[in-house]
Amino acid sequence: MTESKATVSRRTFVTGSLAGLAVASATGALYGCTPAADDDLAATGEGAETAPDTVAWSQCVVNCGGACALQWHIRDGKIAYAETDNVGDPNGLQARACLRGRSLRRWINSPDRLQHPMKRVGKRGEGKFEQISWDEAYQIIADKLKSVIDTYGNEAVYMNYGSGVSSSTSRLFPRLANLMGGYLKSYNDYSTNMMCAGMPFLYGDACSPYDNVSASSISEAQNADLIIMFGNSPAETRMGGANIAWDFAQVREKGGKIYHVDYRMNETASGHPDEWLPIRTGTDAALVSAIAHELIVNNQVNKEFLDTYCVGFDEATMPESARGQHKSYQDYIMGTGYDMVEKTPEWAAPITQIPAARIRELASEIANAKALFVAQGWGPQRHSNGESTSRAICMLPILTGMIGKPGTNTGMREAE
């Protein structure tokens, strides 16, 4: 690589990338979008001279949580192209939207975008609709709601989780429905359903995947000497400039050793971690159980922490009603529990496809870490038995007492 290429500025790179984006869009090859209109040339400076654009600042509404900055360049009442945060320190934090966020212009300008209420006039699935007025649409909805409530009761009115943009429209209907007498509410969510179900049994009723009290910010990992990520890739799921991906970049520079346990080389792991540990998908709990086995047999668990703050690690900490039945966590790991299977590294190796020797090495590193930061993404728990997987991963900071200290986490996904 020549010196000129190696020192290209961030802004020059993004500008060039946007120009390439416009070319790719013109072939209809990007995200399967319809061919770009001529106004895409605005991003490259080509085309005839026009009046100055009107610039409107906005924010991204993709539900990653970043709410990154967007500058809409409006021409003749239509969004011509988008810029993002380019007014801050180029070497510091900028709330720069990712490509997914910038593609919102295509959603808004899509020829298939609904701009008027449409009423089905054919059979369901035929795709036949006619345009109606807003007043007619409001009346139809009100009449249907009243009919359902009068016939079946308020419990027959259900709002599906995730309807509309979570920051605005999805919060309006619950208020309306409550004023109508109530409605059937969904429970948990499609992102963290297993965590929502399982974590209260591990950490208490107040714990949830969205409760920042229950997890540390990823920036806390800067104080850790060992960071283990289970199926967690901020560079893909939180990739905007105002998001966790920025904080994780600081962890790379200032934090300790990073291990990514993932069945694929994800974007966060690519080119950066001290080690990528490819694992057979859905077997994270088996890996953790084998690590726990090594910590127990080598007397490397934090017994003082377990005896003081935990219930059920061993026979001595079991509730009175469950003693003498070999139901403790230690019984399960050591093969004296209900399944009578000792969770050794040799047991876990064919399940996880991680060699037994490597599992022992990882257990030793965990035991010797001064500050252990364990975090899991939401992918590992989105399997059958995902509730057990999410709780198993959290056992690593519990067994080592690495909770509530600088550089540590509860094992849950990092806080927003």
Side-chain angles (χ1 to χ4, degrees), residues 83-97:
E83 287 186 295
T84 184
D85 181 10
N86 54 13
V87 298
D89 179 2
N91 298 315
L93 172 64
Q94 289 185 322
R96 302 183 68 85

Side-chain angles (χ1 to χ4, degrees), residues 142-163:
D143 290 344
K144 292 291 185 181
L145 277 172
K146 186 175 185 304
S147 175
V148 168
I149 293 173
D150 290 345
T151 305
Y152 304 104
N154 286 79
E155 61 270 22
V157 178
Y158 169 70
M159 176 186 171
N160 190 44
Y161 166 79
S163 301

Side-chain angles (χ1 to χ4, degrees), residues 375-407:
Q376 59 180 298
W378 294 344
Q381 53 98 47
R382 296 178 77 169
H383 286 268
S384 58
N385 302 313
E387 176 187 331
S388 297
T389 298
S390 62
R391 295 171 67 186
I393 293 171
C394 290
M395 285 305 300
L396 291 180
I398 291 174
L399 290 170
T400 54
M402 291 291 180
I403 294 178
K405 299 178 180 179

Side-chain angles (χ1 to χ4, degrees), residues 147-319:
S147 175
V148 168
I149 293 173
D150 290 345
T151 305
Y152 304 104
N154 286 79
E155 61 270 22
V157 178
Y158 169 70
M159 176 186 171
N160 190 44
Y161 166 79
S163 301
V165 178
S166 62
S167 61
S168 53
T169 56
S170 69
R171 299 182 183 182
L172 298 180
F173 181 79
R175 172 62 174 163
L176 171 63
N178 285 332
L179 291 172
M180 294 188 302
Y183 69 106
L184 181 62
K185 186 178 181 181
S186 61
Y187 64 92
N188 300 342
D189 62 61
Y190 51 66
S191 294
T192 63
N193 188 67
M194 294 297 184
M195 279 187 176
C196 289
M199 286 301 167
F201 293 97
L202 189 68
Y203 282 129
D205 290 340
C207 181
S208 80
Y210 301 109
D211 179 8
N212 288 354
V213 176
S214 305
S216 302
S217 168
I218 195 67
S219 59
E220 186 59 38
Q222 296 181 37
N223 301 313
D225 57 328
L226 181 60
I227 302 147
I228 305 179
M229 309 278 275
F230 287 86
N232 195 0
S233 180
E236 293 167 293
T237 58
R238 296 290 189 264
M239 56 189 170
N243 228 316
I244 294 171
W246 166 264
D247 298 315
F248 193 76
Q250 312 308 304
V251 173
R252 286 174 180 160
E253 296 180 8
K254 304 173 185 178
K257 186 179 294 184
I258 303 173
Y259 288 154
H260 284 269
V261 182
D262 203 315
Y263 68 91
R264 65 190 181 90
M265 175 67 81
N266 62 51
E267 288 294 320
T268 309
S270 181
H272 292 285
D274 292 272
E275 185 173 351
W276 165 47
L277 289 173
I279 187 171
R280 177 182 286 166
T281 181
T283 65
D284 304 76
L287 172 62
V288 172
S289 295
I291 293 172
H293 180 276
E294 292 305 292
L295 296 176
I296 292 172
V297 297
N298 293 314
N299 294 318
Q300 292 172 320
V301 297
N302 190 326
K303 195 66 167 60
E304 181 181 358
F305 176 87
L306 293 169
D307 289 345
T308 304
Y309 301 106
C310 303
V311 175
F313 167 70
D314 56 12
E315 188 68 17
T317 57
M318 289 292 287

Side-chain angles (χ1 to χ4, degrees), residues 15 18-19 22 38-50 53 75 81:
T15 302
L18 285 175
D38 290 339
D39 59 14
D40 273 335
L41 297 176
T44 66
E46 300 178 24
E49 292 186 6
T50 59
D53 298 334
R75 184 176 307 150
Y81 66 99

Side-chain angles (χ1 to χ4, degrees), residues 300-357:
Q300 292 172 320
V301 297
N302 190 326
K303 195 66 167 60
E304 181 181 358
F305 176 87
L306 293 169
D307 289 345
T308 304
Y309 301 106
C310 303
V311 175
F313 167 70
D314 56 12
E315 188 68 17
T317 57
M318 289 292 287
E320 186 67 34
S321 60
R323 289 183 182 174
Q325 302 173 47
H326 304 288
K327 291 182 177 180
S328 71
Y329 179 80
Q330 181 170 273
D331 280 319
Y332 169 74
I333 295 297
M334 299 309 296
T336 54
Y338 75 95
D339 63 354
M340 303 299 288
V341 175
E342 189 173 3
K343 311 305 185 296
T344 65
E346 286 73 20
W347 164 83
I351 297 173
T352 63
Q353 297 185 340
I354 298 177

Side-chain angles (χ1 to χ4, degrees), residues 38-112:
D38 290 339
D39 59 14
D40 273 335
L41 297 176
T44 66
E46 300 178 24
E49 292 186 6
T50 59
D53 298 334
T54 299
V55 179
W57 281 88
S58 182
Q59 69 181 53
C60 180
V61 294
V62 175
N63 70 339
C64 69
C68 296
L70 288 169
Q71 298 181 68
W72 299 121
H73 286 251
I74 303 170
R75 184 176 307 150
D76 298 328
K78 183 178 180 180
I79 295 175
Y81 66 99
E83 287 186 295
T84 184
D85 181 10
N86 54 13
V87 298
D89 179 2
N91 298 315
L93 172 64
Q94 289 185 322
R96 302 183 68 85
C98 68
L99 292 180
R100 180 170 59 171
R102 300 184 202 199
S103 72
L104 289 175
R105 179 183 69 84
R106 297 188 173 279
W107 301 10
I108 296 171
N109 291 341
S110 171
D112 297 324

